[in-house]
Amino acid sequence: MPLFTIILGVLWLSASWLSAQQLVAPTDPLTPREQQQKFHLPPGFEIQLVASEPDVNKPMNLKFDARGRLWVSHSREYPFPAKSDDEARDAITIFSELDANGRAQKVQRFAEHLNIPIGILPLDDANCLAWSIPNIYHLRDANGDGVADEKAIAYGPFGVIDTHGNQNGFTRWLDGWVYANHGFNNHSQVKLGGEGEVVLEMQSGNTYRFRADGSRIEQVAWGQVNPFGLCFDPLGNLFTADCHSRPVTMVLREGYYQSFGKPHDGLGYAPETTTIDHGGTGIAGVVYYDADQFPPPFRDVLFVGNVITNRIHCDRLTWTGSSPRVDRVEDFLTCDDPWFRPVDIQLGPDGALYVLDFYNKIIGHYEVPLTHPERDRERGRVWRIVYRGERETAQLTAMPDLRAANAQTLVDLLGHVNLTVRLLATNALVDRFPQQAAALATVAASDSTNAARRAHALWVLFRTQSLTEVLARKLAGDSDRL
């Protein structure tokens, strides 16, 4: 059967299922304060407004930097790219200095004139990797005024036939690589710096990784339809969210996944994590909760965004050996405002969940005409979910300023209870103190009191080419699975 016919069939089935839902919200937009009253969470949880329009329009992706600041990519152009960068109205904004109610007191526009930016990754105060049609760019603030004034192609060009299937989920893991998703319907022939020979070719849904310095890009897994959202658990298992294959998938290296009739490699498709569709064709954003701000029933679970049904799901993993399954889905957050569209979810260094709300009358990309006159381009919200319990206010962990931390402080943070902090500390240690890191990590790798510190220290030693066979053999018998 031709691929186009398969796609039409799936879209027809999606439209049939959605006939019971309203393709265009029948309500008018609410103010952030009005919308805040429409959320429903389990007892003891509270949702707080971090930022809203006009400071952010149609947020896409979110990442934290080493100071605990929120970097958000957002777009007024979507779904049609601007004709030129000069005309483009999209941007990256940094939000920081949150008050007790979660509201950002400082708003800094880092980059402007971007074209439907999605994937974003701050490297330090002055450097950021960001997707903007048609490349992944290295943006740099050269004069220290907080605004990017240099823009260089790191990787590209990527296919841009479908602007909702672009590069997203940039996540730098313990190995130093940046992991990302390649979206639906686009055919990309990627070059280093945008020049020379093609080093990676991808068609439609794929997962890949690249070096932050622009030196290498490579495939991780093949398939899925339109993965949007990516996260790791503490063991290094990689999870993605996808609209049309499976809402949640644990992606195995070099595995093949179903994608509108595309073949596997002859060994069969990699195992599925779930067969439950989560009740919608617009799944966006996934995060593994590894911190202690939430109570135990909501730790070591996946939170998954659903832009169609205006909710965030809680997926509890059941493990058989090394294979996870999601056999039931429960709602963590629902919203009576049908404009709520959670497109990205991240674990904050304070232990809270941060949610990007694309806030729109239209639920998706294909379900209604792209030119629909009621598509909103101005509104967008950033929310913070905290656990308050029976207290008047939530108890949150302050994010240490890793930019000012010395090498020993960073080593100490390798054992932090929050995975986001551990990960930021690991990368900061290798980036800023490559010489000291090896000696300090050798000591940390023998810390019998903290398995996370031992595990992260091993990665530091590996990345600094300091991991000895003697130490590796010693820790191979470690009793903790980390």
Side-chain angles (χ1 to χ4, degrees), residues 29-36 53 337 359 381:
L30 302 179
T31 66
R33 183 177 294 275
E34 291 171 333
Q35 184 193 7
Q36 192 171 15
E53 66 279 358
D337 181 2
Y359 203 73
R381 285 94 196 254

Side-chain angles (χ1 to χ4, degrees), residues 289-336:
Y289 190 88
D290 183 50
D292 65 351
Q293 210 279 322
F294 285 11
F298 295 96
R299 301 177 192 173
D300 297 309
V301 299
L302 293 171
F303 291 103
V304 183
N306 192 327
V307 301
I308 304 240
T309 61
N310 321 110
R311 67 194 60 215
I312 295 173
H313 300 289
C314 176
D315 285 7
R316 302 185 184 278
L317 298 168
T318 301
W319 292 85
T320 302
S322 59
S323 299
R325 288 285 299 175
V326 174
D327 293 317
R328 65 184 180 89
V329 175
E330 64 186 70
D331 292 336
F332 174 67
L333 174 150
T334 60
C335 187
D336 295 335

Side-chain angles (χ1 to χ4, degrees), residues 43-46 48 293 386-395:
F45 284 91
E46 178 180 284
Q48 303 171 334
Q293 210 279 322
V386 299
Y387 183 70
R388 180 171 48 82
E390 297 180 357
R391 301 182 297 268
E392 291 186 5
T393 59
Q395 293 180 336

Side-chain angles (χ1 to χ4, degrees), residues 281-452:
T281 59
I283 304 298
V286 59
V287 67
Y288 187 94
Y289 190 88
D290 183 50
D292 65 351
Q293 210 279 322
F294 285 11
F298 295 96
R299 301 177 192 173
D300 297 309
V301 299
L302 293 171
F303 291 103
V304 183
N306 192 327
V307 301
I308 304 240
T309 61
N310 321 110
R311 67 194 60 215
I312 295 173
H313 300 289
C314 176
D315 285 7
R316 302 185 184 278
L317 298 168
T318 301
W319 292 85
T320 302
S322 59
S323 299
R325 288 285 299 175
V326 174
D327 293 317
R328 65 184 180 89
V329 175
E330 64 186 70
D331 292 336
F332 174 67
L333 174 150
T334 60
C335 187
D336 295 335
D337 181 2
W339 285 57
F340 173 59
R341 315 290 182 191
V343 293
D344 196 13
I345 313 171
Q346 296 290 326
L347 169 60
D350 56 4
L353 279 188
Y354 287 77
V355 180
L356 293 189
D357 181 0
F358 196 74
Y359 203 73
N360 212 306
K361 190 180 188 76
I362 311 286
I363 68 170
H365 194 81
Y366 287 123
E367 289 84 355
V368 295
L370 300 184
T371 56
H372 195 289
E374 293 188 89
R375 182 183 293 274
D376 184 83
R377 297 179 183 276
E378 304 301 323
R379 297 171 180 84
R381 285 94 196 254
V382 183
W383 301 99
R384 179 171 79 167
I385 301 173
V386 299
Y387 183 70
R388 180 171 48 82
E390 297 180 357
R391 301 182 297 268
E392 291 186 5
T393 59
Q395 293 180 336
L396 296 166
T397 303
M399 169 65 179
D401 186 351
L402 304 186
R403 179 192 58 169
N406 59 29
Q408 183 59 61
T409 299
L410 292 174
V411 169
D412 293 341
L413 290 171
L414 299 184
H416 197 278
V417 70
N418 185 313
L419 178 59
T420 297
V421 176
R422 295 201 304 272
L423 188 54
L424 288 169
T426 302
N427 287 319
L429 180 63
V430 176
D431 291 343
R432 293 177 49 213
F433 303 103
Q435 303 302 320
Q436 294 174 259
L440 291 171
T442 299
V443 176
S446 299
D447 180 358
S448 61
T449 65
N450 191 306

